């Protein structure tokens, strides 16, 4: 009894790489991102997927909706466990501003120990996404499930499956509109594809 999880990072918004979107409300996909989302749908159309779950953020919801349309799945389930990291007071700030903050540098050096100001630790993020995968694994056994989320959330789950510290996040890439695949069962879990880029 195994469940295949296709971990999809949302497609690109117009200001990706310029500011920390975090949980900032209503950051939609840009034109390039909408094209990426359509390509994701085309790529996943032959996968016999049963269910799609998405973070509540607009950029993930729009990505998930494009996949659902291509797969003719009538609805996307929203899962708070897939939500972006709660970056607290950092959300919405430009990286230029963040790079002047010593706490930001500390966070990026030892995420396993440092809490975002007014937000989460990466171990809390990891705990919530692991719990969701465990729950869905029991519900969706022998099926394929799409989880549309954010780079750091996907990285936290991948680190767990690989037995790496949450501090190993810079060692691999999770690009916008990428797919990483995990197969999980009573025997454990393994990565079968990482950062498949369809953009």
């Amino acid at each position: 009894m195994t469940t295949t999880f296709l971990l999809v990072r949302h497609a690109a918004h117009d200001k990706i790489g310029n500011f920390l979107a975090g949980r900032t409300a209503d950051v939609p996909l840009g034109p390039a991102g909408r094209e990426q989302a359509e390509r994701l749908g085309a790529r996943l159309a032959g996968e016999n997927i049963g269910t799609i779950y998405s973070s509540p953020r607009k950029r993930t919801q729009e990505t998930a909706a494009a996949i659902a349309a291509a797969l003719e799945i009538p609805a996307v389930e929203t899962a708070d466990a897939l939500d972006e990291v709660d970056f607290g007071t950092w959300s919405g700030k430009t990286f230029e501003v963040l790079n002047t903050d010593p706490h930001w540098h500390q966070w990026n050096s030892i995420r396993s120990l440092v809490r975002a100001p007014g937000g989460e630790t990466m171990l809390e993020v990891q705990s919530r996404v692991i719990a969701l995968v465990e729950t869905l694994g029991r519900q969706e056994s022998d099926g394929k499930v799409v989880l549309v989320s954010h780079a750091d959330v996907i990285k936290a789950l991948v680190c767990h499956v690989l037995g790496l510290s949450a501090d190993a996040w810079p060692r691999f890439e999770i690009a916008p509109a990428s797919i990483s695949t995990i197969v999980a069962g009573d025997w454990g879990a393994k990565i079968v594809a990482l950062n498949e880029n369809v953009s």
Side-chain angles (χ1 to χ4, degrees), residues 5-185:
F5 294 96
L6 297 127
L7 313 176
V8 176
R9 182 182 174 188
H10 64 81
H13 57 79
D14 282 341
K15 295 184 179 179
I16 202 160
N18 295 322
F19 83 116
L20 185 64
R23 294 187 176 183
T24 305
D26 295 331
V27 177
L29 299 181
R34 288 191 291 274
E35 290 179 9
Q36 289 174 339
E38 288 178 8
R39 286 196 293 274
L40 279 166
R43 159 63 182 84
L44 293 171
E47 288 285 349
N48 195 28
I49 288 157
T51 317
I52 301 172
Y53 293 84
S54 173
S55 154
R57 298 302 123 196
K58 187 166 188 175
R59 57 198 183 273
T60 49
Q61 291 281 324
E62 290 179 344
T63 303
I67 296 168
L71 275 57
E72 299 182 350
I73 291 176
V76 172
E77 303 288 336
T78 298
D80 289 340
L82 296 173
D83 203 353
E84 175 63 287
V85 177
D86 184 352
F87 288 106
T89 59
W90 285 334
S91 289
K93 291 188 176 179
T94 66
F95 290 112
E96 184 178 9
V97 169
L98 289 169
N99 284 329
T100 67
D101 184 347
H103 191 176
W104 172 252
H105 291 287
Q106 187 182 32
W107 155 268
N108 285 304
S109 297
I110 45 171
R111 288 189 177 185
S112 60
L113 299 176
V114 177
R115 180 179 299 278
E120 292 181 292
T121 68
M122 281 310 298
L123 294 184
E124 288 168 340
V125 174
Q126 191 175 60
S127 177
R128 62 175 159 88
V129 72
I130 290 168
L132 175 68
V133 166
E134 289 175 347
T135 299
L136 294 179
R138 290 190 294 271
Q139 295 173 359
E140 310 270 356
S141 60
D142 288 334
K144 289 185 178 181
V145 181
V146 170
L147 305 180
V148 185
S149 191
H150 307 267
D152 285 333
V153 180
I154 294 169
K155 284 187 172 199
L157 181 57
V158 168
C159 282
H160 172 72
V161 172
L162 293 177
L164 300 172
S165 162
D167 298 327
W169 68 272
R171 297 182 190 172
F172 57 93
E173 183 67 25
I174 299 293
S178 66
I179 305 167
S180 298
T181 305
I182 291 175
V183 176

